Amino acid sequence: MIRCILFDVDDTLMDYHEAETAIFRRLFAEQGRAIDALALDDLWEKSWLYWNGRGLDRPGREDVRQTYHERSRQAVEDLCAYAREKYGLAASPAALGRRFAALMAEAVTLYDDALPALRALHGRFTLCAASNALTESQRPRLRSLEGLLDHVFLSEEMGLVKPDPAFFAHAARAAGARPDECLMVGDSLVSDIAGAASAGMHTCWLNRAGRAPSGGTLPESEIRSLRELVNLPLLSDSKKRRNLP
């Protein structure tokens, strides 16, 4: 029986692309510069380039997990250095990186299916957020979900980084559940699905884009929207089925 549901945050509950777009619009405006769709697309492409260049697409590697949050800050500074050079921003890369982090803390970009799903599940299960994002940005964003989330597990605070099974084992204990009483819901087959499965949790892949699974990791369940989660067979019985708008 499932007692606890853990949710990844970025690209699961919140739209990271929308958040980054809003941040660059504000950064450019604060620098007295305009930004158009082509520049935003360019910066989004470079965001992935610098993220992967810092090894953050391979969080299963021990060396990456040991320095994950430092690498995250470096990737943002790399991106800001590029934006400064390409688009003539005046502030230093370090200053732009700090402002980026501050604006991220304000970027509450919930998907339209997040609140309905959390509200429908609240009270039936212990609900948790489980994120590798930087504490200084992620914890303020998650205040928008106070009253719906029972626990927030941030890897920087825990000293454990997804997909380390120890992250999920620690979260289960803190939530008062066994791993086999927990369901992890997330968009990443590596960080969320493989990591949680290794810890003995049930898994549900949120596959918004309808991608084919890769890397040999198969989720226990797959959904395209959080609206589908409410009636997932693992969670539902005939008396508790809900239809979401």
Side-chain angles (χ1 to χ4, degrees):
M1 180 179 71
I2 300 299
R3 297 176 55 200
C4 176
I5 305 174
L6 297 94
F7 294 89
D8 173 54
V9 178
D10 286 302
D11 296 326
T12 298
L13 295 175
M14 298 195 193
D15 186 335
Y16 185 84
H17 187 188
E18 183 180 340
E20 191 168 284
T21 296
I23 286 167
F24 273 115
R25 288 189 188 281
R26 286 190 62 182
L27 272 178
F28 273 60
E30 289 172 358
Q31 295 276 309
R33 304 299 301 269
I35 187 168
D36 58 20
L38 287 177
L40 287 169
D41 287 345
D42 175 47
L43 289 168
W44 180 241
E45 179 184 338
K46 295 302 186 297
S47 179
W48 280 105
L49 176 69
Y50 293 124
W51 181 265
N52 295 345
R54 291 292 183 179
L56 291 161
D57 59 330
R58 300 183 293 280
R61 280 179 22 186
E62 180 64 24
D63 62 318
V64 174
R65 291 204 305 268
Q66 290 293 329
T67 56
Y68 186 91
H69 302 100
E70 178 185 347
R71 290 169 184 253
S72 295
R73 290 185 174 88
Q74 290 170 340
V76 169
E77 193 165 320
D78 292 340
L79 177 60
C80 290
Y82 172 82
R84 180 179 186 271
E85 180 68 22
K86 178 71 179 286
Y87 298 104
L89 301 182
S92 70
L96 289 170
R98 289 191 296 271
R99 185 60 181 148
F100 185 103
L103 292 173
M104 180 60 76
E106 302 173 12
V108 179
T109 52
L110 291 164
Y111 287 104
D112 62 7
D113 55 5
L115 282 177
L118 291 172
R119 287 169 177 158
L121 295 165
H122 179 64
R124 291 175 53 194
F125 306 94
T126 299
L127 302 183
C128 310
S131 175
N132 281 343
L134 297 169
T135 295
E136 64 205 54
S137 298
Q138 202 70 308
R139 190 162 283 282
R141 295 174 82 205
L142 288 169
R143 292 194 188 112
S144 63
L145 298 176
E146 284 182 357
L148 291 173
L149 294 175
D150 299 290
H151 300 278
V152 171
F153 300 114
L154 301 180
S155 62
E156 190 172 23
E157 296 174 353
M158 294 164 64
L160 298 165
V161 175
K162 299 184 298 180
D164 189 342
F167 176 101
F168 299 96
H170 175 93
R173 286 194 302 272
R178 300 191 310 266
D180 66 339
E181 295 175 321
C182 298
L183 173 68
M184 178 67 207
V185 181
D187 69 293
S188 171
L189 286 171
V190 176
S191 294
D192 301 320
I193 304 307
S198 295
M201 288 186 178
H202 297 276
T203 60
C204 180
W205 183 32
L206 178 58
N207 183 14
R208 293 186 183 276
R211 296 178 286 127
S214 60
T217 299
L218 294 177
E220 185 176 349
S221 304
E222 180 180 336
I223 57 176
R224 295 286 296 274
S225 165
L226 291 174
R227 289 184 173 84
E228 300 172 46
L229 184 64
V230 178
N231 291 323
L232 197 71
L234 189 63
L235 302 181
S236 301
D237 61 37
S238 59
K239 295 181 179 179
K240 293 182 178 179
R241 294 181 70 84
R242 297 283 300 274
N243 293 318
L244 296 186

